[in-house]
Amino acid sequence: MDGTFTSDKDYCRNRLPVAYCPSAQQPETWLYFLSQLLEPEDIPTLQEFMGYCLIPSTKAQKMLMLIGRGGEGKSRIGLVLRALLGGNMATGNLAKIETNKFARADLEHELLMVDDDMKLEALPQTNIIKAIITAELPMDLEKKGHQSYQGDLYVRFLGFGNGSLKALYDRSEGFFRRQIILTVKKKSPCRRDDPDIAEKMCAEAEGIFLWCLEGLHRLMENQYHFTISQRAQENMDAAVSDGNNMVDFMDSEGYIRLKPDCEASSKELYGVYKLWCDDNALHPLSAKSFSSYLIENADYYNLQPTNNIYIGGNKRARGFIGIEVLQRVFL
C-alpha cells in the first residue's frame, strides 16, 4: 500500500496476517452472506469501511454502527475482520472508552475496535470517542501504575447492536456526524443458518481482502467520503432526532413559527418547548442546552441571537429574532 499512510515503523507494526494474492478467487460465500444481511445500496459502505480499517489513518473521521433486532448474523463480520487484521483488532466496549481512563492505552496502534454488543444506555460523555475518531496528533494515554505519555491512536470503531449510539448530554451535531448507521435486514423465518458460515468466510480471507482493497481505493478516490445511501442518511436523521428532541420541536406546528419579522425571548421559547415536550411525553433539555442549541444552529434556522428582546416593564432580555411563539405559556 501507499507508504504515505504511515511511517515504516507503524507499517511493520500493523503487518496483516492475510496474504495479498491478486489471483484470489471471488469470495462467493462472503458476498452471498452480505446479500442476505444488507440492502444492496449499503454494501459499498461496509466495503469502504472495512478497507478503511486496513490502514492506520483517521482521515475519514467516521465510526460504523450495524443495527438490527438480533440473530441476523451481523457479528460474523467481526470474525471475518479478525481473519484479516489478526492482532491489529481489539474487542471492547465503547462506553468503557469514555469512562475508564486506562482503556485508551489498550487501543494504541490498533487498527480497529469492535463492540459486538453495544449497550443501549446513553454514553455519559462523548469527548474521548470523538477525539479518537478524528485523532491526527498523539494523545495523552495512561496505563495503570505508569506515568501518562503521548501515544498514537488511529483505531476505528465498529459496533453491532439493537439501537444506535446515544449520548446522555452531548446534543451536538458533531457526535452524530461521526457515525454511519446501517440497518440490517430482518432475518427471514425461512432462513436456515449455517453453523460453519464464519469458518467458510474466513477461508475466503484472501478474496475478501481484495474486496476490501477495492472499497479502500474507492474511498480514497472520493477524498475519504463514504458512500451513504438514502436509507443510511435517514438512519442518521432519526438518530439525531432521537438524541435531541429540539430537532422535532423546531419542525413542530402550532407551537412556534419561523418568521423574519418576529422575535421571542429565550424564556418564552423555553416555556413553549416544555409545553411541547409535555404534550409529547418527552423529557425536556435543560434551559442552558435549549439556548445553546438555538445559538449553535442559528444560521440553519435563520435566527439572530440578541439580548435586546423587550419583555415589558422597561425590561429587555436575551432571545432570538426570526421566530414567533404561537402558544402563550404562563411563566
Side-chain angles (χ1 to χ4, degrees):
M1 278 179 263
D2 188 341
T4 60
F5 289 128
T6 181
S7 67
D8 292 339
K9 179 181 178 182
D10 283 340
Y11 183 75
C12 293
R13 178 182 286 117
N14 293 121
R15 188 175 296 277
L16 304 179
V18 61
Y20 173 64
C21 182
S23 61
Q25 294 184 350
Q26 192 169 10
E28 299 292 347
T29 304
W30 168 251
L31 295 177
Y32 177 75
F33 166 78
L34 292 182
S35 72
Q36 299 296 298
L37 184 71
L38 294 169
E39 298 294 343
E41 59 268 34
D42 287 332
I43 293 176
T45 311
L46 177 65
Q47 183 183 23
E48 290 165 4
F49 190 84
M50 289 178 63
Y52 177 47
C53 292
L54 298 177
I55 60 173
S57 171
T58 58
K59 287 185 178 181
Q61 301 192 349
K62 297 286 188 181
M63 64 191 301
L64 179 64
M65 310 283 105
L66 266 68
I67 306 301
R69 294 184 176 180
E72 305 91 353
K74 53 187 180 292
S75 62
R76 303 299 90 184
I77 294 174
L79 297 177
V80 170
L81 281 163
R82 174 68 76 185
L84 299 177
L85 302 178
N88 297 293
M89 180 185 117
T91 57
N93 180 275
L94 285 167
K96 185 178 179 182
I97 302 302
E98 283 292 344
T99 58
N100 187 323
K101 65 179 182 178
F102 302 118
R104 280 169 284 171
D106 294 335
L107 301 178
E108 187 178 14
H109 305 304
E110 298 285 3
L111 292 172
L112 174 68
M113 192 201 89
V114 173
D115 185 342
D116 62 2
D117 186 22
M118 284 194 309
K119 305 303 180 185
L120 293 180
E121 293 87 352
L123 297 174
Q125 300 175 23
T126 61
N127 294 342
I128 301 301
I129 288 177
K130 288 191 295 187
I132 292 175
I133 292 172
T134 60
E136 295 180 321
L137 296 172
M139 296 182 63
D140 192 52
L141 305 177
E142 184 176 355
K143 296 181 178 180
K144 191 173 292 186
H146 293 80
Q147 179 73 27
S148 63
Y149 63 99
Q150 293 284 298
D152 294 319
L153 286 186
Y154 39 73
V155 66
R156 271 56 52 86
F157 295 123
L158 172 62
F160 306 113
N162 298 327
S164 59
L165 199 62
K166 297 179 176 63
L168 192 59
Y169 300 111
D170 189 348
R171 315 295 178 181
S172 67
E173 181 185 345
F175 172 64
F176 297 100
R177 191 176 63 242
R178 289 170 174 81
Q179 300 179 47
I180 301 172
I181 304 174
L182 301 183
T183 48
V184 301
K185 295 179 179 179
K186 294 181 181 178
K187 180 181 177 180
S188 170
C190 301
R191 191 181 90 185
R192 297 186 63 182
D193 292 332
D194 182 352
D196 299 320
I197 187 68
E199 289 81 358
K200 291 177 180 178
M201 291 191 296
C202 289
E204 299 178 330
E206 292 180 353
I208 297 174
F209 181 69
L210 295 181
W211 179 84
C212 293
L213 281 180
E214 180 184 333
L216 173 61
H217 292 155
R218 186 169 62 246
L219 180 66
M220 292 169 57
E221 289 169 1
N222 200 28
Q223 302 296 309
Y224 287 90
H225 294 289
F226 285 97
T227 300
I228 303 295
S229 69
Q230 181 63 34
R231 176 181 290 100
Q233 184 57 55
E234 291 171 356
N235 291 340
M236 179 56 58
D237 294 341
V240 172
S241 178
D242 187 41
N244 184 354
N245 58 37
M246 278 291 297
V247 177
D248 287 340
F249 168 69
M250 293 301 291
D251 288 336
S252 66
E253 296 183 2
Y255 296 87
I256 58 170
R257 176 169 56 191
L258 298 175
K259 193 174 180 182
D261 58 348
C262 292
E263 61 184 32
S265 70
S266 297
K267 187 175 181 180
E268 273 186 300
L269 289 168
Y270 187 64
V272 76
Y273 162 69
K274 289 199 297 181
L275 174 63
W276 176 84
C277 286
D278 187 58
D279 289 345
N280 289 277
L282 296 172
H283 183 72
L285 304 180
S286 68
K288 181 179 179 180
S289 295
F290 174 86
S291 294
S292 295
Y293 176 85
L294 290 181
I295 292 171
E296 290 170 4
N297 294 276
D299 289 342
Y300 178 79
Y301 293 114
N302 293 316
L303 301 178
Q304 181 182 338
T306 178
N307 58 1
N308 196 34
I309 301 295
Y310 181 70
I311 59 174
N314 295 321
K315 295 186 293 184
R316 295 189 176 273
R318 295 178 183 273
F320 298 86
I321 298 172
I323 189 168
E324 179 182 15
V325 172
L326 300 179
Q327 289 201 30
R328 295 297 164 184
V329 181
F330 180 76
L331 301 173

